[in-house]
Amino acid sequence: MQNAGREFSIFNFQFPISNARRAASLASARDFLNATRQKFLQLIQERRSLFATFQVTAGCNLRCKNCGGDFTEPRPDELATEEVYALIRNLQRAGTTYLSLGGGEPTMRDDLPQIVAYASSLMGVGMVSNGVLLDEEYAELLKRAGLSVVDISLDGASAETHDPQRGAGSFERGLRALQNCQRAGIPVVDLQTTISQLNYPELPRIIRLALDLGVNIVVNQFIPCGRAQGRDDLLLTREQRKELQRYLIEQERLFGKQRIKFDRYYIVSEDEKGQRIWGDPAKSGFNVGDPFGIYGYAIAANGKVTPTTPEIEIGDLRREELSEVWTHSDVLATLRNRERLKGKCGRCEYKFICGGDRRRTHALTGDPMGEDPLCWYEPFLETMSYEP
């Protein structure tokens, strides 16, 4: 990577920072905004519901301090097996091609292998798990059922960091689950980690652990909601978040996008190569930033569609077709209309390739269209402005 600016040290790693406000160097911030707006509007017309996250149960066998949902016991109105099958057919009719099963803890459902087998006959299927129940036999069962991706949550590089957050012995069980899934031959095995003030300095060691195990890493950022409601002290600062994404971009350059995975919001402001593609009307490549409401959506354990946080329900897939909800929801129409973004998100030249994280913004501010409080970037434009 060429050195386009001063050196910035993070975790004892030298990251070359290019000059800020890239759009201005491409032509002008306004030209960039106009070009990306046109691409975004063309893309948004497709309204494709490509992937879903499905909370198959609210029951969980751990009591993690950083849980975003405060999951404990199954909901009384959770979908039964046949209802789950009907839901999967509903998603497939609407064009969904990938389903990620989560919770709670999905392995708490006795019928999970049957659900995986049914879903995998119609679409790709993944799972997010704490790994407690994933012994070698169960991992092999899920592999035979058609599970193609598994994410195991580890929030530290050792039990000393992880177990205080998720429970005694959970690090070793999660570690074994990763190895069991590898041995079973599940095609994609990820170590998923949530970064907060508790483990931020340990991120390089967590990445090294994943690489040494031969698995990928998925990096999430802590949000104080659910059981962690009110723990704003555990949020990363804006400066830490900036350093984090710069570090992950460099790790991605070294090891590849398949090995290092994270939400790429905000860092698009420093992606010079990407901007040359996204801002060129003659080039087809594009990036929408936050995909929820555009390509992706979430489903609660009772079949309700929730595009941002559980407080907003836009449809009931027990009774409604996803294709109808996806096409006619006023909430989704608002999420897709980035002209309605507020604060600096509304005047940012990168809003059509980023848009901020709408789910986390909603969780933190109560307004899904509000200014993203996690973003460090200051827009080049003082006002939102388009060419006639």
Side-chain angles (χ1 to χ4, degrees):
M1 181 184 292
Q2 272 193 327
N3 186 348
R6 66 185 179 85
E7 296 287 335
F8 188 93
S9 177
I10 176 169
F11 306 130
N12 297 318
F13 193 91
Q14 294 297 309
F15 184 92
I17 300 177
S18 298
N19 296 325
R21 297 170 179 169
R22 300 258 198 257
S25 67
L26 298 175
S28 71
R30 179 178 293 181
D31 289 344
F32 185 82
L33 186 65
N34 286 328
T36 54
R37 177 175 182 263
Q38 290 305 312
K39 284 189 175 183
F40 181 85
L41 293 177
Q42 290 172 7
L43 183 147
I44 212 69
Q45 293 176 358
E46 299 175 3
R47 296 181 182 175
R48 295 191 293 167
S49 53
L50 294 180
F51 68 89
T53 61
F54 175 31
Q55 178 199 67
V56 290
T57 181
C60 192
N61 48 5
L62 293 181
R63 300 293 180 265
C64 303
K65 294 179 180 178
N66 61 359
C67 179
D70 196 11
F71 298 119
T72 52
E73 300 300 322
R75 298 175 58 131
D77 60 348
E78 290 183 0
L79 300 182
T81 306
E82 291 297 329
E83 290 180 304
V84 173
Y85 294 167
L87 178 140
I88 292 168
R89 293 193 297 272
N90 192 343
L91 308 190
Q92 193 266 345
R93 287 192 297 272
T96 298
T97 59
Y98 183 77
L99 179 64
S100 176
L101 306 175
E105 171 51 43
T107 59
M108 295 292 287
R109 281 194 71 132
D110 294 337
D111 59 355
L112 180 65
Q114 290 76 29
I115 291 172
V116 170
Y118 190 87
S120 66
S121 69
L122 298 175
M123 60 191 65
V125 182
M127 180 180 75
V128 179
S129 171
N130 58 36
V132 169
L133 299 178
L134 274 173
D135 58 25
E136 195 164 353
E137 181 180 358
Y138 194 26
E140 290 175 353
L141 177 61
L142 292 176
K143 165 61 169 61
R144 290 196 300 271
L147 190 70
S148 58
V149 180
V150 63
D151 285 23
I152 304 298
S153 298
L154 288 181
D155 291 337
S158 67
E160 285 71 25
T161 304
H162 173 92
D163 283 5
Q165 300 180 67
R166 291 185 174 263
S170 59
F171 177 81
E172 288 301 324
R173 285 177 285 186
L175 199 62
R176 286 198 297 270
L178 286 166
Q179 296 165 329
N180 290 337
C181 290
Q182 284 180 294
R183 283 192 286 266
I186 294 172
V188 178
V189 181
D190 299 327
L191 185 164
Q192 179 170 269
T193 190
T194 299
I195 299 299
S196 69
Q197 293 292 353
L198 297 174
N199 59 1
Y200 173 70
E202 199 170 358
L203 177 60
R205 290 181 56 207
I206 300 173
I207 292 177
R208 176 49 52 191
L209 173 64
L211 295 174
D212 288 347
L213 289 170
V215 302
N216 314 311
I217 186 163
V218 177
V219 179
N220 298 319
Q221 294 183 44
F222 168 80
I223 296 297
C225 57
R227 192 173 293 130
Q229 186 74 39
R231 293 303 311 271
D232 292 8
D233 58 306
L234 298 183
L235 274 168
L236 301 184
T237 66
R238 288 186 177 184
E239 186 65 25
Q240 286 174 324
R241 197 169 296 109
K242 177 168 58 177
E243 294 179 6
L244 173 79
Q245 289 216 329
R246 286 174 172 170
Y247 181 71
L248 290 172
I249 280 287
E250 184 63 13
Q251 295 299 292
E252 179 189 275
R253 184 187 70 82
L254 292 171
F255 301 108
K257 289 185 178 181
Q258 296 305 311
R259 302 299 305 277
I260 311 294
K261 307 175 188 179
F262 63 104
D263 288 338
R264 301 172 64 87
Y265 314 135
Y266 326 134
I267 201 65
V268 295
S269 65
E270 299 184 6
D271 188 344
E272 196 167 13
K273 180 179 178 181
Q275 287 180 24
R276 285 195 294 268
I277 298 171
W278 305 325
D280 187 341
K283 295 181 179 179
S284 59
F286 198 64
N287 173 66
V288 299
D290 187 349
F292 272 73
I294 298 173
Y295 294 133
Y297 58 101
I299 308 167
N302 59 358
K304 301 292 181 63
V305 183
T306 59
T308 55
T309 62
E311 291 76 24
I312 293 185
E313 296 177 353
I314 63 171
D316 185 349
L317 300 187
R318 268 186 164 121
R319 297 189 292 269
E320 299 175 85
E321 285 290 315
L322 174 63
S323 58
E324 291 296 312
V325 174
W326 192 255
T327 301
H328 300 298
S329 165
D330 291 338
V331 172
L332 291 180
T334 297
L335 286 172
R336 294 166 185 157
N337 184 359
R338 291 189 177 168
E339 316 288 8
R340 299 183 64 175
L341 292 175
K342 300 173 184 176
K344 70 178 184 180
C345 288
R347 58 184 174 83
C348 184
E349 60 268 30
Y350 299 115
K351 70 180 183 178
F352 295 112
I353 61 170
C354 172
D357 189 319
R358 293 300 104 203
R359 290 165 294 159
R360 290 172 181 157
T361 296
H362 188 194
L364 290 168
T365 70
D367 183 356
M369 302 304 287
E371 177 179 307
D372 188 336
L374 302 181
C375 181
W376 70 79
Y377 181 72
E378 288 301 324
F380 186 72
L381 296 174
E382 293 300 320
T383 60
M384 184 174 62
S385 180
Y386 306 110
E387 295 291 349

